[in-house]
């Protein structure tokens, strides 16, 4: 069997159904085998679109996303997507073509050292030098990508390895002496955590993307129900716990709710579960949680005490650890704390100044929520659109909010929506976009049209690179240096040129009708060009490196 045949057979062994990618010279042998393979291949129009689509597929399905691209520029075009997946702990296996082994290092045509380039932005990578190692490497790659803290694994395959022949034997098991993820938390630490929880009087749960990665939402809900402790989530953790529940404080951090940030600041115990205390959450870290002790549950030991000193570290899988805690923890006496937070929520709701004359972007998100009954899967680009989608849609299920959190990649949302729609044909998928970010990978619209994917692309079109403009307004004397993009394409005509439906909305009264019309179209994507208030800002906002005392709210302007 050739190396190319081994790749296809290995994908079948791993149960892969969908593959995303783009062909090229160094991977022609692989694509030759894909021609009749029982795999659904999605031909992106740019390698970055392919890797984001695989990423969206992985986040929506919980399975490993698979990408194939050629050497040189094909491989380097994947780099942003690999880094995006790495920052958000998304399991991908990425095959890149490479020049022949005897040519490596000779500056051959379309040669790039992709293993060197991706070393700091992938969980692991391989350069295959012998076809006899290929099956083992693929088996290990799927194992590494999907276990422990998930992440992308790159397999660089020289073209002569793809052509070489060997006997195919797919390993049943993986043995990696240096990689042994710990799933079960230490019983002594779990016991200490239970006692600290029971003694707390102002506890808060701080839940992150690790809860979703480990499929621990049910265990998390049982933990909240049993203890009655209020919960806030990171951007990556939204949906793990229903935001419609009274104990939900919604998202915390730079654009989180005032009550979530205040609750965390005033807490005497912070229970961090699958979260990593990133700077968008902590702000000025020395004043982040002045009175709180910290329990940190995470499968990645390198994340524990990395940014915040932890009192009780528990290294293990969130699902296993929470399940163990649920067996013995007792509810703390926190009635007074709950009442205090109830008032805080009532006095500081997420809100905005609505208008009849202008379309407010927050209003559009609210109407998407209402007209989809909260059942849509929401993908976002990055910037203001991302934050409004996080704030004004109520997420109640895991894997229904898909966004680039760590790297903050503009152009992520739409191709990710393609992957999400492929993973979840039973749900409607929206990409909530800005007019800047949608133009970064809009070429993938033809992929959605080709595969008749009924994605709705809701462009919150304000003619600006909105989040940068907001920072320029607030912190740089309102000098809008190169953030005005009102010189833009006609998105309706552009959609129609691709074969998608296009709708323009310029009045508030047209919003519902446009969303309803888009939802009625089920055989192709729809682009809705919402012309929203140009200088609307995202509030509340804790400026970078500041504390909640510096929070900017709409009322202060």
């Amino acid at each position: 069997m050739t190396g190319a045949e081994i790749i296809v057979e290995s994908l079948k062994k791993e149960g892969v159904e969908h593959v995303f990618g783009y062909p090229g010279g160094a991977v022609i042998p692989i694509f030759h085998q894909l021609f009749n393979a029982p795999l659904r291949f999605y031909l992106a129009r740019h390698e970055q679109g392919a890797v984001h689509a695989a990423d969206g597929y992985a986040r929506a399905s919980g399975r490993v996303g698979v990408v194939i691209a050629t050497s040189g520029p094909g491989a380097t075009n994947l780099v942003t997507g690999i880094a995006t997946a790495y920052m958000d702990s998304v399991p991908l296996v990425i095959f890149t073509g490479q020049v022949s082994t005897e040519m490596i290092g000779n500056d051959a045509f379309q040669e790039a050292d992709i293993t060197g380039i991706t070393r700091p932005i992938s969980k692991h990578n391989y350069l295959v030098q012998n076809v006899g190692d290929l099956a083992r490497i693929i088996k290990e790659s799927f194992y590494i990508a999907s276990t422990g803290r998930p992440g992308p694994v790159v397999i660089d395959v020289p073209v002569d390895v793809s052509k070489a022949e060997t006997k195919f034997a797919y390993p049943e098991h993986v043995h990696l002496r240096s990689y042994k993820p710990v799933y079960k938390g230490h019983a002594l630490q779990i016991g200490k955590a239970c006692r600290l929880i029971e003694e707390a009087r102002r506890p808060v749960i701080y839940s992150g993307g690790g809860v979703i990665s480990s499929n621990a939402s049910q265990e998390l809900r049982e933990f909240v129900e049993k203890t009655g402790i209020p919960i806030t989530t990171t951007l990556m953790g939204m949906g793990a716990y229903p935001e419609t529940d009274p104990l939900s404080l919604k998202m915390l951090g730079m654009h989180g709710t005032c009550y979530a940030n205040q609750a965390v600041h005033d807490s005497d115990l912070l229970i961090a579960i699958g979260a990593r205390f990133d700077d968008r959450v902590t702000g000025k870290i020395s004043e982040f949680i002045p009175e709180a002790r910290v329990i940190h549950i995470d499968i990645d030991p390198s994340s524990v005490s990395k940014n915040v000193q932890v009192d009780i570290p528990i290294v293990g899988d969130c699902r296993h650890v929470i399940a163990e805690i649920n067996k013995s923890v007792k509810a703390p006496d926190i009635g007074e704390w709950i009442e205090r937070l109830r008032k805080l929520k009532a006095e500081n709701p997420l809100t905005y100044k609505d208008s009849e004359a202008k379309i407010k972007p927050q209003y559009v998100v609210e109407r998407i929520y209402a007209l989809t009954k909260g059942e849509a899967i929401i993908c976002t680009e990055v910037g203001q659109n991302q934050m409004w989608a996080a704030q004004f849609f109520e997420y109640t299920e895991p894997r229904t909010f898909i966004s680039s959190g760590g790297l903050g990649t503009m152009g992520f949302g739409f191709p990710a929506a393609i992957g999400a729609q492929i993973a979840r044909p039973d749900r409607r998928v929206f990409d909530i976009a800005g007019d800047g970010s949608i133009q970064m990978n809009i070429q993938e619209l033809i992929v959605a049209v080709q595969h008749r994917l009924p994605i709705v692309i809701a462009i919150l079109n304000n003619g600006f690179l909105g989040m940068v403009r907001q920072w320029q307004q607030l912190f740089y004397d309102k000098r809008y240096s190169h953030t005005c993009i009102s010189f833009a394409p006609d998105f309706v005509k552009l959609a129609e040129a691709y074969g998608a439906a296009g709708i323009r909305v310029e009045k508030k009264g047209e919003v519902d009708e446009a969303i309803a019309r888009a939802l009625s179209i089920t055989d192709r994507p729809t682009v809705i060009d919402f012309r929203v208030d140009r200088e609307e800002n995202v509030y509340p906002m804790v400026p970078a490196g500041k504390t909640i005392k510096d929070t900017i709210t709409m009322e202060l302007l």
Side-chain angles (χ1 to χ4, degrees), residues 76-348:
T76 57
N77 282 344
L78 297 173
V79 168
T80 297
I82 295 170
T84 301
Y86 181 66
M87 289 289 279
D88 290 344
S89 305
V90 178
L92 299 180
V93 170
I94 300 131
F95 294 89
T96 52
Q98 184 55 275
V99 301
S100 294
T101 49
E102 75 274 14
M103 297 297 291
I104 291 175
N106 284 3
D107 294 335
F109 176 68
Q110 289 195 332
E111 181 188 1
D113 176 15
I114 199 63
T115 52
I117 291 169
T118 60
R119 187 162 292 125
I121 58 165
S122 62
K123 186 173 178 183
H124 195 62
N125 63 20
Y126 295 92
L127 170 61
V128 186
Q129 301 183 65
N130 187 319
V131 70
D133 297 330
L134 185 55
R136 172 186 57 80
I137 286 173
I138 295 172
K139 180 71 177 180
E140 290 177 359
S141 296
F142 274 87
Y143 176 72
I144 293 169
S146 60
T147 56
R149 180 178 177 173
V153 178
V154 178
I155 308 174
D156 199 24
V157 187
V159 65
D160 58 312
V161 172
S162 292
K163 295 176 182 175
E165 295 189 5
T166 190
K167 185 178 179 181
F168 176 61
Y170 202 62
E172 292 292 326
H173 305 287
V174 171
H175 300 286
L176 295 169
R177 193 168 56 182
S178 59
Y179 178 69
K180 303 285 183 187
V182 174
Y183 285 86
K184 293 186 177 180
H186 195 285
L188 183 64
Q189 294 295 89
I190 290 174
K192 288 181 180 177
C194 288
R195 286 193 291 277
L196 203 58
I197 291 169
E198 291 159 18
E199 293 167 1
R201 291 298 173 264
R202 302 189 307 278
V204 173
I205 298 166
Y206 157 49
S207 176
V211 172
I212 294 174
S213 296
S214 63
N215 296 314
S217 295
Q218 185 57 42
E219 286 75 11
L220 178 68
R221 293 172 193 217
E222 290 173 12
F223 178 52
V224 175
E225 184 178 348
K226 190 167 185 180
T227 61
I229 297 174
I231 175 172
T232 180
T233 66
T234 67
L235 185 74
M236 292 291 91
M238 293 199 312
Y241 189 82
E243 293 184 326
T244 49
D245 187 90
L247 286 175
S248 171
L249 302 173
K250 292 180 67 78
M251 182 178 73
L252 81 166
M254 178 176 281
H255 292 293
T257 63
C258 288
Y259 44 88
N261 287 334
Q262 191 68 56
V264 168
H265 181 269
D266 294 347
S267 66
D268 66 351
L269 175 65
L270 190 64
I271 307 163
I273 309 175
R276 60 186 177 88
F277 295 92
D278 74 279
D279 60 289
R280 284 297 190 263
V281 163
T282 64
K284 188 177 182 180
I285 206 158
S286 61
E287 298 184 30
F288 173 52
I289 40 174
E291 299 176 15
R293 303 188 74 182
V294 178
I295 298 169
H296 192 177
I297 302 166
D298 204 292
I299 198 163
D300 180 6
S302 70
S303 288
V304 178
S305 292
K306 181 177 182 180
N307 297 325
V308 168
Q309 191 61 40
V310 172
D311 296 284
I312 301 180
I314 305 176
V315 175
D317 178 72
C318 294
R319 188 176 180 183
H320 282 269
V321 175
I322 302 171
E324 287 302 309
I325 290 176
N326 286 342
K327 290 178 182 175
S328 53
V329 73
K330 296 176 182 174
D333 180 8
I334 55 173
E336 189 176 323
W337 174 236
I338 295 297
E339 178 59 19
R340 181 174 155 190
L341 295 184
R342 188 193 64 76
K343 290 180 180 176
L344 197 61
K345 286 178 70 172
E347 293 167 359
N348 299 275

